[in-house]
Amino acid sequence: MRERRRLRMAVLALVSVLLLGAVPLFFGIRTLSRDPVFDTLDQLNVPSWAAVKTVDDVSGSRWCLLDCRLRERTVTSEGSPEDTARAYEAALTADGWRPWKVARCPEQPAKGSYTCWRRDELTLDLWVREPACTPPPVDGEPAVVPSPSPSAAAQGCTGSLVSVKVRNAIDDERTRPQPSTDPSLTGEDPFPTLTEDPLGEVTPSPS
């Protein structure tokens, strides 16, 4: 009976240690796998109609090993692009983000509303636009051909699409000094043409 009691106490102690270690381990792995920037974006005070469906994507290293972390979020909104852009801009301002007037924002011409923001060590690109009428292909299947019916096409193109891109400011090229585009330098050859004799004409020595 004494040996059974000891064995039972040992099993209970082992189970307690495993449970006490499993809970912190679970939350630790969850913290490492979940980027805190996405938690910040989740806390943005936007209306429910402006965040109907959210898809997150992340690439790069959190510690900027080789490539720094790039966070991308795509959100489907039921509101118009104008209303959705105003809702997100107000939410960003209330959360401490400030508009960032910088060249290459956007880097290429884009339809809709494209604005850039900064907060602490992060930069954020916000792009709000009309949704595509033709859905993209899924799992290698061909895209669905849109219906010729105007009512069906209008129903498929309602709402708006929101793209959010967050980068570390140190990894954003727009935070670095940009090359000069002085028009006076255009067309000048920085490498002058050399003559046949690179030393030029020999200066005659006095006799």
Side-chain angles (χ1 to χ4, degrees):
M1 292 293 295
R2 186 174 300 176
E3 292 180 357
R4 290 182 179 177
R5 199 173 293 174
R6 290 179 179 176
L7 180 60
R8 185 180 302 173
M9 293 297 295
V11 171
L12 290 177
L14 180 60
V15 171
S16 300
V17 170
L18 291 177
L19 290 177
L20 292 176
V23 173
L25 181 62
F26 169 77
F27 285 103
I29 295 175
R30 182 179 179 182
T31 301
L32 291 176
S33 60
R34 177 67 175 178
D35 195 298
V37 174
F38 288 123
D39 295 334
T40 302
L41 296 179
D42 291 338
Q43 296 173 2
L44 289 178
N45 188 21
V46 295
S48 58
W49 53 262
V52 177
K53 182 180 179 181
T54 302
V55 178
D56 291 335
D57 188 22
V58 64
S59 60
S61 170
R62 183 181 299 181
W63 297 275
C64 288
L65 300 177
L66 297 181
D67 294 326
C68 288
R69 179 64 59 93
L70 172 63
R71 304 94 171 168
E72 296 180 279
R73 166 169 289 190
T74 304
V75 185
T76 303
S77 171
E78 293 179 346
S80 65
E82 295 78 11
D83 294 339
T84 302
R86 282 193 293 267
Y88 274 89
E89 290 174 2
L92 289 173
T93 302
D95 198 43
W97 292 87
R98 293 295 175 260
W100 185 29
K101 304 297 182 180
V102 64
R104 297 169 57 189
C105 176
E107 297 184 2
Q108 296 180 352
K111 296 182 178 180
S113 173
Y114 199 109
T115 54
C116 297
W117 303 74
R118 283 199 66 172
R119 195 186 76 170
D120 300 332
E121 76 282 1
L122 300 175
T123 66
L124 182 147
D125 289 31
L126 174 66
W127 183 22
V128 184
R129 61 200 182 276
E130 295 182 353
C133 298
T134 304
V138 180
D139 297 334
E141 299 179 358
V144 179
V145 179
S147 172
S149 173
S151 59
Q155 184 177 2
C157 293
T158 57
S160 56
L161 195 63
V162 182
S163 294
V164 180
K165 183 185 298 183
V166 182
R167 287 175 284 191
N168 292 16
I170 193 174
D171 190 51
D172 196 328
E173 296 181 354
R174 296 171 298 180
T175 61
R176 306 168 190 170
Q178 300 298 316
S180 175
T181 56
D182 189 350
S184 63
L185 301 178
T186 306
E188 293 187 3
D189 187 2
F191 303 101
T193 305
L194 299 178
T195 60
E196 295 180 359
D197 186 359
L199 298 179
E201 297 180 359
V202 180
T203 303
S205 59
S207 56

